[in-house]
Amino acid sequence: MDYRLNFYNLVTKIYKDIDYPEIPIPIYAMFYVVLSQYFNNVNVLFGGEKRKLRLSFFIIAPSRTGKGQLYKITKMVAEKLNLRTAVETTITDAGLIGSIDEKAVDYNLKHKLNEGDADYKDPIVKGDLFNFDILFFREVKNLLVARQNTEMLLSILQEALDEPGYVRKKLRSKYPIEGECTASIIATTYYMPEIEKTLLEQGFFMRVPLYCRTFSIEEIRKLRHDIIGLFNKKNLENIDKYVDDFVQEIKKISNVERNITLSVEAINRLEKFNNNFYDLMRKTAGNKLEILKSISQTAIDICVKIGGIHACLDGNKEIKDHHIKLAIVFVKACVGTILNKIEITDNIKTDKYVKIFEKIEKKYGEGKVTKELFKKELCEFYSFGMNKALKVIKSLSTENYIIINRGDKNTQIVTLNKNI
């Protein structure tokens, strides 16, 4: 049975998708997040560790494109699968981690009570990260703008999404709030220019699959047309029945505690994916390259988790090649939206240095410019010191604008990367 397709058919009764027949990323992502929590007793063996299938997801898409409807039906399915969900309208450290009940503190002090005593009142009120399986963040645009409070919130979320997720925070009290976090996070916002900087600097966004979508005028027209069609009385069937039918099929699948592994073929498939990712990085430069470097490990981790979900749906104790193949198609589609839809603006100085190198290469001949010669020319042209020139060369090499290869007699030959 194709459970993912069944979920797609369920969701699109009230949510209009214009990505089909391409990968309907948001719908599949909701499916994977819910199922990752449903199979919360399943572990993937990794070295001497066990890793959960837990997934989160982050959507960047314009307002009024149906994200609320997608949330609604996903929440319905999750709750009927006995998963605890909450919708976060504001994001605070107290709401996420918790707070201290000062009345309980005063009561314990007044009656000289210690932890373990019969009448002791626990002063720690744990927040939503400890109390729910899936947290829906309806709008997180404030997390994309760098502020002191933002940095703290992103740090909390990053720690919560680590494997295993664990948060420890000491507020205005001697009592620390700490514990294991197993919640998945589904967050959305509309597109903001600051996202590029945030992607490069905040580890939280390197731990979740990311979908970045813009809509053409024609796509908006089609979306509105499809939404108008939902007012047709032929579509007034009770959605609860379809949710119940889907949930009952999922509940037939075992989610008992067990460990699963990857087959040799699945590992080979991951190796091939990693090599293809490396080839893509070699053809990319600047901030796009840095983003790819940052998400390269996340992409592999997500492939394993999604592969594990498909293995569970098939009732397998081993993640097979075709399970990983399905995961790779999804992950590649997510990565594609990042590279294609996010506006990347590289440093203007970088372009200037590249043009200077082109002039130097034209002067001496292609393949004749050594690192030492490039450094000398930069020093003369810009009146740079040696260290400044070396930093520029290192930056150009790191961002993949130039390639440095070993030449004769321990020289280093500099050439432009023509694959970009």
Side-chain angles (χ1 to χ4, degrees):
M1 181 180 293
D2 191 339
Y3 297 98
R4 192 174 66 172
L5 179 60
N6 290 349
F7 184 76
Y8 178 90
N9 292 333
L10 167 63
V11 169
T12 50
K13 290 186 180 300
I14 63 170
Y15 169 81
K16 285 303 157 185
D17 164 50
I18 61 173
D19 287 330
Y20 189 82
E22 301 298 329
I23 304 298
I25 297 175
I27 298 177
Y28 284 4
M30 298 301 114
F31 174 79
Y32 288 135
V33 170
V34 171
L35 269 294
S36 75
Q37 284 291 337
Y38 178 74
F39 294 121
N40 66 324
N41 290 318
V42 179
N43 304 298
V44 178
L45 296 182
F46 174 77
E49 299 178 342
K50 296 177 183 179
R51 294 191 172 184
K52 295 291 185 184
L53 298 178
R54 178 177 61 140
L55 284 167
S56 295
F57 192 63
F58 189 75
I59 301 175
I60 305 171
S63 299
R64 308 297 295 171
T65 53
K67 297 189 294 292
Q69 291 296 87
L70 182 58
Y71 267 28
K72 176 182 176 181
I73 202 160
T74 302
K75 192 172 186 294
M76 288 173 65
V77 170
E79 289 176 349
K80 286 181 180 291
L81 285 170
N82 301 318
L83 299 174
R84 302 162 300 166
T85 72
V87 177
E88 305 289 329
T89 54
T90 58
I91 309 172
T92 64
D93 56 344
L96 291 176
I97 298 179
S99 58
I100 302 298
D101 183 349
E102 297 298 342
K103 290 183 178 179
V105 173
D106 293 342
Y107 178 87
N108 293 333
L109 288 173
K110 180 180 178 180
H111 295 87
K112 299 180 180 179
L113 297 171
N114 296 309
E115 188 174 359
D117 293 341
D119 294 329
Y120 177 80
K121 292 187 177 181
D122 189 351
I124 298 174
V125 181
K126 287 195 172 181
D128 290 351
L129 282 172
F130 301 102
N131 295 318
F132 293 94
D133 300 307
I134 301 176
L135 298 179
F136 294 87
F137 292 77
R138 296 293 296 268
E139 179 51 70
V140 295
K141 62 179 180 292
N142 289 336
L143 289 182
L144 306 181
V145 181
R147 298 188 183 96
Q148 184 176 355
N149 187 50
T150 298
E151 297 283 336
M152 182 172 62
L153 287 170
L154 286 173
S155 176
I156 292 169
L157 292 173
Q158 177 178 328
E159 293 170 3
L161 293 182
D162 275 338
E163 188 64 43
Y166 194 89
V167 172
R168 186 180 193 277
K169 185 74 175 177
K170 205 165 186 179
L171 301 175
R172 291 177 299 175
S173 170
K174 67 176 182 179
Y175 303 97
I177 300 176
E178 62 180 324
E180 185 177 350
C181 298
T182 59
S184 291
I185 292 171
I186 298 175
T188 63
T189 187
Y190 55 82
Y191 173 75
M192 292 184 67
E194 293 90 348
I195 187 62
E196 177 201 349
K197 185 173 185 291
T198 307
L199 273 176
L200 291 171
E201 294 181 356
Q202 295 296 344
F204 165 68
F205 296 100
M206 295 299 104
R207 285 163 170 76
V208 295
L210 179 70
Y211 170 77
C212 186
R213 184 74 155 89
T214 56
F215 290 82
S216 67
I217 294 174
E218 180 57 30
E219 287 172 331
I220 287 292
R221 185 203 67 80
K222 183 181 185 308
L223 180 62
R224 302 301 175 226
H225 173 270
D226 291 346
I227 290 173
I228 290 171
L230 291 173
F231 289 99
N232 191 310
K233 62 183 179 182
K234 293 179 182 178
N235 296 317
L236 295 180
E237 300 167 286
N238 192 338
I239 196 70
D240 286 341
K241 177 183 180 302
Y242 294 102
V243 172
D244 286 338
D245 290 345
F246 175 79
V247 167
Q248 290 310 311
E249 290 300 321
I250 295 296
K251 284 185 174 180
K252 293 177 184 178
I253 306 167
S254 172
N255 66 349
V256 298
E257 186 172 355
R258 62 193 183 276
N259 300 324
I260 59 176
T261 57
L262 276 75
S263 68
V264 173
E265 293 78 14
I267 290 174
N268 290 339
R269 174 77 64 175
L270 274 179
E271 279 287 357
K272 184 177 179 181
F273 173 65
N274 182 51
N275 291 336
N276 290 339
F277 212 94
Y278 173 70
D279 289 339
L280 177 61
M281 284 192 284
R282 292 190 64 185
K283 298 175 183 177
T284 310
N287 288 330
K288 279 188 177 182
L289 174 60
E290 293 307 311
I291 290 173
L292 283 177
K293 287 179 182 177
S294 298
I295 65 176
S296 58
Q297 182 59 52
T298 305
I300 293 171
D301 293 341
I302 294 168
C303 282
V304 172
K305 291 184 176 187
I306 291 177
I309 291 169
H310 280 290
C312 290
L313 291 171
D314 286 349
N316 291 347
K317 296 180 180 178
E318 190 175 55
I319 301 173
K320 303 291 186 181
D321 173 67
H322 64 280
H323 298 141
I324 293 295
K325 185 177 180 180
L326 286 168
I328 287 173
V329 171
F330 175 80
V331 170
K332 286 175 69 174
C334 289
V335 172
T337 70
I338 299 171
L339 299 182
N340 294 334
K341 304 302 179 182
I342 295 181
E343 182 180 354
I344 303 293
T345 306
D346 289 326
N347 195 312
I348 295 173
K349 290 183 179 179
T350 298
D351 294 333
K352 182 165 62 176
Y353 295 142
V354 168
K355 288 176 182 177
I356 292 299
F357 179 80
E358 289 174 338
K359 291 180 180 178
I360 296 170
E361 190 177 54
K362 188 174 181 180
K363 176 180 176 182
Y364 291 97
E366 188 173 341
K368 303 293 184 181
V369 181
T370 64
K371 182 179 177 181
E372 199 65 27
L373 181 59
F374 188 22
K375 180 181 68 176
K376 177 184 174 184
E377 291 281 342
L378 283 173
C379 289
E380 291 181 2
F381 192 89
Y382 285 106
S383 299
F384 280 168
M386 186 184 299
N387 288 337
K388 173 69 172 177
L390 285 173
K391 284 182 180 179
V392 169
I393 293 172
K394 182 179 180 181
S395 176
L396 291 173
S397 175
T398 300
E399 295 184 359
N400 212 24
Y401 286 103
I402 61 173
I403 298 171
I404 302 176
N405 292 313
R406 189 169 297 281
D408 297 333
K409 298 180 181 179
N410 293 324
T411 60
Q412 291 178 292
I413 304 299
V414 182
T415 57
L416 282 177
N417 185 354
K418 297 181 179 179
N419 290 322
I420 299 173

